[in-house]
Amino acid sequence: MRRLTRGIAAVFLIISLTLMGAVGYYDAALPDTYYLSDGGTAAVDCFFDIEIIPDGEVIAASAGSATAEETDAEIRLFGVIPVKSAKIIHADAKMLIPGGSPVGVKLLTEGVMVVKTAEVTEGVSPASEAGIMAGDNILSANGEELNSSARLSEIIENSDGEPIVFKIMRNGRSSTVTVTPVYSETEGVYKAGLWIRDSTAGVGTLTFIDPETGIFGALGHPISDSDTLTTLPLGSGEIVDVVITGYDKGERGCPGELYGTFVSGLASGTIELNCEQGIFGTMTYPSRQEAIPIAYKAEVKTGPATILTTIDGSTPQEFEVEIERVTLSSAAKSKNIIIKVTDSELLEKTGGIVQGMSGSPIIQDGKLVGAVTHVFVSDPTRGYGIFIENMLDAAEIISGEDLAA
């Protein structure tokens, strides 16, 4: 009898500790505020059953209303155990034009990006000795602002070994360092031991256009340096129209890729922001496509959905996917959704998600819920997505307005 009693007590203790741990985790991880569109219901997909219980009736904002209505709510585990207080805000859903069309991305960095440092002569690397590291951004040399790798190379080669003062940016902080180039016998010029880059180009997918402002969003992830994996500091950039001419099929351990041709040198939009949630800017010409409502992240649920993407030419197609997981953590600015491609045509042709599909809109129940961002290298049928609400939060930097509400 004692053993049975102890066993029951041990099980009760384990359950209690598990529940306490779950409450503590969700208290820290889940947001305090949840937007809902008219007729929308909150869907909190978690390992444990989590429900958002409003304290009173949630009143929808009337059309054209300048303010949204909100009500207090409580997040409960299994609908019973209190986790934290929250707010539900009912607002008119933002209307956006979904993308899916391929875009060519051209980006010039602010200053010059350091890819890596190297030795000029045996055991001597002036850049490394000065404290310069891969991922640093060199903004100026001896007071001259830099806008090309060629100009920096010219300054170094013509230095005659005299010290050069660099202004660098690292992790958002600027500082100055002094580099003394050394003569390279093999190349016959002065060198600093720097591998540098000032631009990049590639193919991605347009996610949305705001019909009211002309602001666009694409990719759902930043444009990063391929060597250092750091986000490239934006000097200037543009998107151009692209025609997809082919692709490599994705396989386990080897992600596929879309190939495209830039249609012309005419920019279809200017890039004004390169950040964790994607690239954003303003379209050069308006779109005549129809807008659809967005779904706030609290409305996104596991289950069937579709993506809009282009694997041939320039016209987007709709393909079936399954949303397998939704992460509402307030700390997660990207990789909020896990999707699995279920469309037999897309699986047959590309194997699932391939590079170049980043930014492809995810549609669920007629609403724009997010965008594809990454493919799983171990399984090209699956990948990550970002909430459209998070992309709109980033786009506010351009517009200065709350685009999500």
Side-chain angles (χ1 to χ4, degrees):
M1 187 66 181
R2 286 185 177 179
R3 289 184 179 179
L4 178 61
T5 303
R6 289 176 181 175
I8 293 174
V11 171
F12 180 76
L13 179 61
I14 292 172
I15 293 174
S16 298
L17 291 174
T18 301
L19 292 177
M20 289 174 61
V23 169
Y25 171 77
Y26 290 125
D27 181 27
L30 292 177
D32 298 323
T33 302
Y34 298 85
Y35 282 88
L36 292 178
S37 59
D38 292 347
T41 57
V44 184
D45 286 303
C46 300
F47 182 81
F48 291 105
D49 179 34
I50 293 289
E51 296 183 22
I52 304 175
I53 311 296
D55 289 346
E57 183 182 0
V58 181
I59 305 172
S62 60
S65 174
T67 60
E69 299 291 340
E70 68 175 51
T71 187
D72 293 330
E74 187 174 58
I75 300 175
R76 298 178 188 172
L77 183 63
F78 303 118
V80 177
I81 303 173
V83 174
K84 66 189 300 186
S85 297
K87 287 188 180 296
I88 295 177
I89 300 176
H90 239 253
D92 293 332
K94 180 73 177 178
M95 300 293 289
L96 296 176
I97 298 170
S101 56
V103 290
V105 179
K106 300 178 179 179
L107 184 146
L108 296 176
T109 63
E110 180 187 15
V112 176
M113 169 72 75
V114 177
V115 176
K116 67 177 181 179
T117 59
E119 294 181 353
V120 178
T121 60
E122 187 175 354
V124 179
S125 172
S128 182
E129 292 169 3
I132 293 178
M133 302 169 57
D136 286 347
N137 198 44
I138 304 176
L139 302 179
S140 66
N142 286 338
E144 178 183 336
E145 292 187 0
L146 299 171
N147 54 24
S148 75
S149 300
R151 178 54 186 155
L152 178 56
S153 296
E154 183 181 359
I155 291 172
I156 294 170
E157 291 174 4
N158 295 334
S159 68
D160 291 328
E162 294 296 320
I164 303 173
V165 178
F166 288 162
K167 180 180 180 181
I168 66 170
M169 182 72 71
R170 179 186 300 167
N171 298 327
R173 296 183 177 181
S174 63
S175 61
T176 58
V177 298
T178 300
V179 178
T180 305
V182 296
Y183 190 76
S184 170
E185 296 289 346
T186 56
E187 298 187 45
V189 293
Y190 284 92
K191 307 287 287 185
L194 286 168
W195 290 74
I196 50 181
R197 180 172 293 145
D198 61 12
S199 63
T200 190
V203 173
T205 302
L206 183 69
T207 304
F208 71 84
I209 301 173
D210 184 337
E212 295 182 357
T213 64
I215 290 174
F216 73 84
L219 301 188
H221 64 69
I223 300 174
S224 301
D225 179 73
S226 58
D227 294 291
T228 65
L229 303 181
T230 57
T231 300
L232 289 173
L234 175 65
S236 62
E238 60 186 27
I239 58 172
V240 299
D241 294 332
V242 159
V243 172
I244 299 299
T245 56
Y247 48 80
D248 286 335
K249 186 174 182 178
E251 299 178 354
R252 188 178 298 273
C254 184
E257 183 177 3
L258 296 176
Y259 297 106
T261 300
F262 289 22
V263 174
S264 69
L266 180 63
S268 56
T270 57
I271 302 173
E272 300 168 40
L273 178 65
N274 177 34
C275 66
E276 184 181 356
Q277 292 79 28
I279 59 172
F280 304 90
T282 306
M283 297 300 295
T284 304
Y285 49 83
S287 173
R288 293 185 175 86
Q289 294 173 281
E290 291 188 7
I292 64 173
I294 68 166
Y296 294 107
K297 57 189 176 185
E299 300 172 328
V300 183
K301 57 184 181 292
T302 55
T306 59
I307 62 171
L308 290 175
T309 197
T310 305
I311 59 174
D312 183 36
S314 57
T315 303
Q317 294 177 259
E318 195 166 13
F319 299 101
E320 295 177 352
V321 299
E322 185 85 7
I323 296 179
E324 293 187 325
R325 186 191 300 175
V326 177
T327 302
L328 286 178
S329 171
S330 55
K333 302 301 182 183
S334 60
K335 295 184 179 180
N336 312 119
I337 305 168
I338 293 180
I339 65 169
K340 181 179 178 62
V341 176
T342 57
D343 194 285
S344 58
E345 180 185 358
L346 190 59
L347 290 171
E348 174 65 25
K349 290 183 176 180
T350 67
I353 302 168
V354 297
Q355 296 177 82
M357 287 184 182
S358 294
S360 299
I362 303 172
I363 312 293
Q364 187 177 60
D365 298 332
K367 295 183 177 183
L368 178 57
V369 305
V372 178
T373 60
H374 297 81
V375 58
F376 291 176
V377 176
S378 61
D379 182 4
T381 67
R382 301 169 71 234
Y384 282 114
I386 182 175
F387 291 134
I388 193 66
E389 186 177 338
N390 287 356
M391 292 187 72
L392 288 175
D393 284 344
E396 289 175 21
I397 297 173
I398 297 175
S399 68
E401 300 177 357
D402 186 356
L403 295 181

